[in-house]
Amino acid sequence: MSEGMTAKADFTAFEVEAIGESGGHCECCGNESRRVWGMVHQAGGPSVAAYWMHWTVGHLSEPGANLDVVLGKWGDGTDPSDRFGVALVHRQLEDGTPSLMVVDAADRFADIELAATSLARRDVMGTPLAEQLFSIVDTIYRQDRRFF
Ligand SMILES: [Zn+2]
């Protein structure tokens, strides 16, 4: 057996794949709104997440932008019961720094058929899942240039 066949892929790095985007107008003020989505893969490995970011110009501080992330198993032989949704809110604070918070997913995944379950904030915070989630989200922010 050659060295190459036993070498392990680097699972510490993630790659973002931008997939689609759409535009619209906010129902409350008519401002332009934007929705972008994509997938996160382990470098040289399987997919780990799908995500959607939705925001409206002028609403970045309040109510903020929605970041929906679906985590779990992907690919052949998997179905929505292998995955779950986590909802985050991105806010631009007055001093310009971004803040990101996990919120109860509630109805945020009603239109997203990729995940059978969605999690509440208490299901995520303080668990190993939170660590995985934030390293994935960090990758999305660093690699998806369509955000803000
Ligand atoms: Zn509005």
Side-chain angles (χ1 to χ4, degrees), residues 26 28-29 59:
C26 178
C28 84
C29 60
H59 285 337

PDB file of all heavy atoms in Angstrom, residues 26 28-29 59, ligand 1:
ATOM      1  N   CYS A  26     -38.174  44.679   0.689  1.00  0.00           N
ATOM      2  CA  CYS A  26     -38.698  44.466   2.035  1.00  0.00           C
ATOM      3  C   CYS A  26     -40.179  44.826   2.085  1.00  0.00           C
ATOM      4  O   CYS A  26     -40.597  45.856   1.550  1.00  0.00           O
ATOM      5  CB  CYS A  26     -37.909  45.329   3.015  1.00  0.00           C
ATOM      6  SG  CYS A  26     -38.506  45.207   4.698  1.00  0.00           S
ATOM      7  N   CYS A  28     -41.839  45.843   4.637  1.00  0.00           N
ATOM      8  CA  CYS A  28     -42.160  46.975   5.512  1.00  0.00           C
ATOM      9  C   CYS A  28     -41.785  48.314   4.908  1.00  0.00           C
ATOM     10  O   CYS A  28     -42.484  49.294   5.080  1.00  0.00           O
ATOM     11  CB  CYS A  28     -41.557  46.785   6.906  1.00  0.00           C
ATOM     12  SG  CYS A  28     -39.840  47.307   7.071  1.00  0.00           S
ATOM     13  N   CYS A  29     -40.656  48.392   4.175  1.00  0.00           N
ATOM     14  CA  CYS A  29     -40.165  49.698   3.735  1.00  0.00           C
ATOM     15  C   CYS A  29     -39.885  49.763   2.236  1.00  0.00           C
ATOM     16  O   CYS A  29     -39.620  50.833   1.702  1.00  0.00           O
ATOM     17  CB  CYS A  29     -38.888  50.043   4.500  1.00  0.00           C
ATOM     18  SG  CYS A  29     -37.588  48.831   4.238  1.00  0.00           S
ATOM     19  N   HIS A  59     -31.569  47.604   7.149  1.00  0.00           N
ATOM     20  CA  HIS A  59     -32.028  46.828   8.309  1.00  0.00           C
ATOM     21  C   HIS A  59     -30.905  46.018   8.952  1.00  0.00           C
ATOM     22  O   HIS A  59     -31.163  45.104   9.714  1.00  0.00           O
ATOM     23  CB  HIS A  59     -33.122  45.841   7.899  1.00  0.00           C
ATOM     24  CG  HIS A  59     -34.448  46.483   7.648  1.00  0.00           C
ATOM     25  ND1 HIS A  59     -34.805  47.688   8.181  1.00  0.00           N
ATOM     26  CD2 HIS A  59     -35.526  46.056   6.928  1.00  0.00           C
ATOM     27  CE1 HIS A  59     -36.032  47.993   7.786  1.00  0.00           C
ATOM     28  NE2 HIS A  59     -36.490  47.023   7.018  1.00  0.00           N
TER      29      HIS A  59
HETATM   30 ZN    ZN B   1     -38.098  47.198   5.660  1.00  0.00          ZN
END
